[in-house]
Amino acid sequence: MIHDAGAKSAPAPGVVVVTGGGRGIGAATARLAARRGYAVCVNFLAHRAAADATVAAIVRDGGRAIAVAADVAKEADVVRLFDEARARLGPVTALVNNAGILERQMRLDEMPVERFQRIFATNVIGAILCAREAVRRMSTRHGGSGGAIVNVSSVAATLGAPGEYVDYAASKGAIESLTIGLAREVAAEGIRVNAVRPGVIYTDIHASGGEPGRVERVKASLPMGRGGDPEEVARAILWLLGEEASYSTGTFIDVSGGR
Ligand code: NAP
């Protein structure tokens, strides 16, 4: 049996849900996915104008996209997100679990418990909920035709982010366990599950940490001497989503300039 994707005509990429797709890495991923032929469901939480702008850019380029407000930490919102993607774009074939948050840089012994709950609600429960809904729709076990999930972890999962946000780093560690376990669980059901580990990327997330200029501060310490662009992460995500990665599951790509 030939598994070489190039030996047969590639199937249409289908429909991708990108959580947190209005800004930063998610927006770059949504735009690149559309250029690769996906219809894109751009999820957002609060910044509707940014999500609408991402959709408008895709449509201007001849692609298909919709913006859907949903809090990934809320089960009813996540179910509605996937239902709406299905109803307006077609059967969902891919998920990019990108939505993520961090909070102000500080030591663990200064952090209130409510902060842990917020970080884990979005970064961990959100990603697990979205993965569950994707599996329920894509798994051949449930009558689906398979698909791919890419989780957005962070190099913080392995470096730990001491003195900045070890809670965030721990949440990304959970994403990595999810990636490994779910990949094996659904490997025989037509679904691949992989992850990317971005390093220090130019997005708004650093402002949430209280240091909008963080990339400029740390870039000289990185082996490549520069921060990354969201598009550079998007390219790795799209590779893992697509047929080129047809025999890869439960694996990770570092997009971190050698860090
Ligand atoms: P960003 O520019 O701050 O964007 C975060 C996105 O997540 C926004 O679109 C936001 O929606 C969405 N979001 C947050 N909470 C949500 C929720 N509860 N439900 C739905 N959407 C939610 O961040 P980014 O840097 O692009 O980060 C994207 C991912 O990359 C995150 O998982 C982050 O941990 C990871 N990452 C980033 C870096 C980096 O250096 N930038 C490094 C490693 C990993 P709204 O637009 O509506 O607010």
Side-chain angles (χ1 to χ4, degrees), residues 20 23 25 45-47 70-72 98 153 168 172 199 201 203 206:
R23 296 189 291 129
I25 292 167
L45 176 67
H47 293 84
D71 182 345
V72 295
N98 166 78
S153 178
Y168 168 82
K172 294 300 186 180
I201 311 297
T203 73
H206 307 289

Side-chain angles (χ1 to χ4, degrees), residues 19-27 43-48 50-51 69-74 97-102 121-123 126 152-156 168 171-172 196-206 208 214-215 228 230 233:
T19 65
R23 296 189 291 129
I25 292 167
N43 157 249
F44 67 98
L45 176 67
H47 293 84
R48 174 176 290 279
D71 182 345
V72 295
K74 295 189 176 146
N97 252 331
N98 166 78
I101 57 169
L102 50 74
T122 294
N123 296 7
V152 180
S153 178
S154 168
V155 291
Y168 168 82
S171 76
K172 294 300 186 180
V196 295
R197 285 194 196 104
V200 186
I201 311 297
Y202 286 99
T203 73
D204 297 341
I205 204 168
H206 307 289
S208 319
R214 180 168 179 268
V215 185
V233 182

Side-chain angles (χ1 to χ4, degrees), residues 50-71:
D52 284 346
T54 301
V55 168
I58 290 171
V59 171
R60 225 175 12 249
D61 286 350
R64 290 175 71 211
I66 58 171
V68 178
D71 182 345

Side-chain angles (χ1 to χ4, degrees), residues 7-24:
K8 55 181 189 259
S9 59
V15 175
V16 62
V17 174
V18 181
T19 65
R23 296 189 291 129

